[in-house]
Amino acid sequence: MTGLVHRRLAGQVAEMLREQILTGVLPSGSRLNEVEIARDLGISRSPLREAIGQLVSDGLLVHVPNKGAAVFTAGPEDVAALFELRSALECRAARLAALRRQPKEVVRLRKVCERSRKARETGRKLPYNLDLEFHRSLMEAAHSPRIAEQVWLVQQQVIVLRSGLMSRPAHTEASLSDHEAMAEAVADGDAELAASLMEAHLALVETELLHSTQPDPRHTDDAEGATPARRAGRAEAK
């Protein structure tokens, strides 16, 4: 295998694993079985290990001593730290977007909100890629590649933590309304409003994430063995 082919294959495997992680196929905390993955893909472990190394660098995977690679997971303190960083970056980006946006970027923000609203009206869970597309569009309007690069790394980790959880309908509606309000603040060139809306929005997402991952005290007998999806189901039932 030539070096170029090897790198291309490793890149393709990395993107496949990234998609599985972000969609919850490989949930937070799960361990990767390199032997099984390599066998299923019909590849050697060399490009697979390179792909895993790339995702470790991106923060989606972590090396567990004597166990190999596992999908990123975080406790409450880590979640708080993630959102502190995300708020610092994205509030600044929202402010810059309101100051630097171009007409085509405002159009894109509004179109993403329209597509998200239509998805919401069908009763389906808002796809993570639409949520991500809104924030990416905002980053583009900010015209700050360095901020966008760092935001992308943090956003992916948050998506991983949320991928196996069920969002409550009220939270989904509030989040979508936040996006719509931010899009209009950016369109109006109101930098302070855009930043304050982003701060409130991220605080809402953090609260929902922490709420969804807390075990229900009424089910302490099996809370330790419950999966994130089951815990989220309990939260939904409240």
Side-chain angles (χ1 to χ4, degrees):
M1 181 184 295
T2 67
L4 180 59
V5 173
H6 178 93
R7 288 193 297 273
R8 284 179 176 172
L9 180 57
Q12 291 171 353
V13 174
E15 290 311 306
M16 181 207 70
L17 292 175
R18 187 190 307 276
E19 181 69 13
Q20 292 185 346
I21 292 169
L22 294 179
T23 56
V25 174
L26 292 173
S28 177
S30 62
R31 186 171 67 88
L32 271 64
N33 188 315
E34 292 185 21
V35 175
E36 289 185 1
I37 294 174
R39 184 188 63 222
D40 292 344
L41 295 177
I43 62 174
S44 69
R45 293 176 69 179
S46 179
L48 174 59
R49 285 175 175 169
E50 186 173 326
I52 289 173
Q54 179 179 332
L55 295 179
V56 169
S57 297
D58 288 348
L60 290 179
L61 295 176
V62 294
H63 280 302
V64 181
N66 303 317
K67 292 184 178 180
V71 179
F72 169 79
T73 189
E77 291 184 0
D78 296 317
V79 170
L82 273 177
F83 276 90
E84 283 181 1
L85 177 58
R86 189 174 175 186
S87 182
L89 292 168
E90 291 202 64
C91 289
R92 178 61 177 170
R95 182 176 284 105
L96 291 175
L99 297 174
R100 299 175 176 176
R101 82 278 186 248
Q102 298 296 318
K104 64 179 181 180
E105 292 157 350
V106 171
V107 170
R108 182 177 178 185
L109 277 169
R110 286 171 168 164
K111 284 186 175 180
V112 174
C113 289
E114 289 173 5
R115 289 165 54 204
S116 300
R117 176 62 65 184
K118 288 180 180 178
R120 173 77 180 94
E121 289 172 352
T122 65
R124 296 186 293 111
K125 177 182 177 181
L126 187 64
Y128 89 90
N129 58 315
L130 282 177
D131 179 68
L132 196 58
E133 187 176 348
F134 175 83
H135 287 272
R136 277 181 166 176
S137 298
L138 193 68
M139 292 303 108
E140 290 182 6
H143 294 275
S144 180
R146 292 292 182 88
I147 291 180
E149 180 181 356
Q150 295 305 311
V151 166
W152 169 232
L153 295 176
V154 181
Q155 282 178 334
Q156 287 184 105
Q157 291 185 320
V158 173
I159 291 170
V160 171
L161 297 175
R162 297 176 66 190
S163 63
L165 305 175
M166 293 176 61
S167 295
R168 293 179 294 176
H171 169 75
T172 301
E173 177 61 31
S175 183
L176 180 51
S177 295
D178 285 348
H179 285 187
E180 292 168 337
M182 276 188 277
E184 294 312 308
V186 169
D188 293 340
D190 193 332
E192 293 307 315
L193 179 58
S196 64
L197 287 169
M198 177 63 78
E199 183 177 17
H201 173 67
L202 294 177
L204 174 71
V205 175
E206 179 185 4
T207 299
E208 178 69 9
L209 177 57
L210 290 172
H211 171 86
S212 298
T213 55
Q214 291 301 310
D216 190 328
R218 294 173 299 177
H219 298 273
T220 52
D221 56 331
D222 67 339
E224 184 176 350
T227 65
R230 288 173 60 193
R231 290 200 298 269
R234 294 168 183 167
E236 179 78 20
K238 289 183 179 181

